[in-house]
Amino acid sequence: MSGNRTFTMLKPDAVENGHIGGILEKITASGFKIVAMKYTQLSKRDAQEFYSVHKERPFYGDLVEFMTRGPIVAAILEKDNAVEDFRALIGATNPAEAADGTIRKLYATSIGENAVHGSDSDENAAIEGAFHFSGREIY
Ligand code: CMP
């Protein structure tokens, strides 16, 4: 059975380009309820840990550099079938391949700077949410 929560980050490129409002509007208009949210900046150690599954990939260094270069918005979102529905809303990792109307099609500039993160499984949604939020920060 699929879960009802996912985790997202509006990445430094989206924040720098003034897209926080536009992206949050799309998320809530698509039926997601924000149950936790913070404006924060990842340290190098945070980003290395968060993306440790990618540490052997050639883009890992650039990914850590990018994700730490400015503030992000982190949030936990609630909706039936949250992980799958949110991944459909954000579109393909590479914005050039993202469907029309998706968040990455609208706001991302490249595969590396792709505006928004969405958990890829219920298990990772729980791990990633717990990385950023304590129980008392989730409403
Ligand atoms: P996301 O899926 O949120 O988490 C992993 C990130 O790694 C991904 O978004 C991209 O930002 C980045 N990424 C994935 N593939 C590549 C790639 N081929 N080149 C550069 N960055 C990538």
Side-chain angles (χ1 to χ4, degrees), residues 11 51 54 57 59 63 93 104 111-114 116-118:
K11 299 184 180 186
Y51 287 110
H54 295 303
R57 309 287 288 274
F59 57 80
L63 177 59
T93 304
R104 283 174 171 154
I111 190 167
E113 303 203 1
N114 61 2
V116 64
H117 170 82

Side-chain angles (χ1 to χ4, degrees), residues 9 11 50-51 53-54 57-60 62-63 66-67 87 90 92-94 104 110-120 128:
M9 291 183 288
K11 299 184 180 186
F50 189 90
Y51 287 110
V53 299
H54 295 303
R57 309 287 288 274
F59 57 80
Y60 179 68
D62 287 346
L63 177 59
F66 162 57
M67 286 302 298
R87 287 176 74 79
I90 66 180
T93 304
N94 185 349
R104 283 174 171 154
S110 68
I111 190 167
E113 303 203 1
N114 61 2
V116 64
H117 170 82
S119 303
D120 63 4
E128 291 168 2

Side-chain angles (χ1 to χ4, degrees), residues 15-123:
V15 174
E16 287 160 10
N17 294 326
H19 297 318
I20 295 175
I23 293 173
L24 291 180
E25 169 59 21
K26 258 205 85 70
I27 290 172
T28 53
S30 302
F32 292 88
K33 181 181 170 205
I34 296 167
V35 296
M37 186 161 71
K38 67 174 68 162
Y39 190 51
T40 186
Q41 184 161 357
L42 298 177
S43 68
K44 194 162 181 192
R45 182 187 286 192
D46 291 332
Q48 285 169 336
E49 189 183 333
F50 189 90
Y51 287 110
S52 59
V53 299
H54 295 303
K55 70 171 176 287
E56 306 304 333
R57 309 287 288 274
F59 57 80
Y60 179 68
D62 287 346
L63 177 59
V64 169
E65 190 73 23
F66 162 57
M67 286 302 298
T68 56
R69 82 170 182 223
I72 61 161
V73 176
I76 297 174
L77 306 173
E78 205 166 77
K79 181 182 184 295
D80 286 348
N81 202 38
V83 165
E84 201 179 312
D85 286 4
F86 192 69
R87 287 176 74 79
L89 176 64
I90 66 180
T93 304
N94 185 349
E97 293 163 10
D100 282 348
T102 60
I103 290 174
R104 283 174 171 154
K105 183 71 171 192
L106 288 166
Y107 297 115
T109 48
S110 68
I111 190 167
E113 303 203 1
N114 61 2
V116 64
H117 170 82
S119 303
D120 63 4
S121 66
D122 290 341
E123 187 191 4

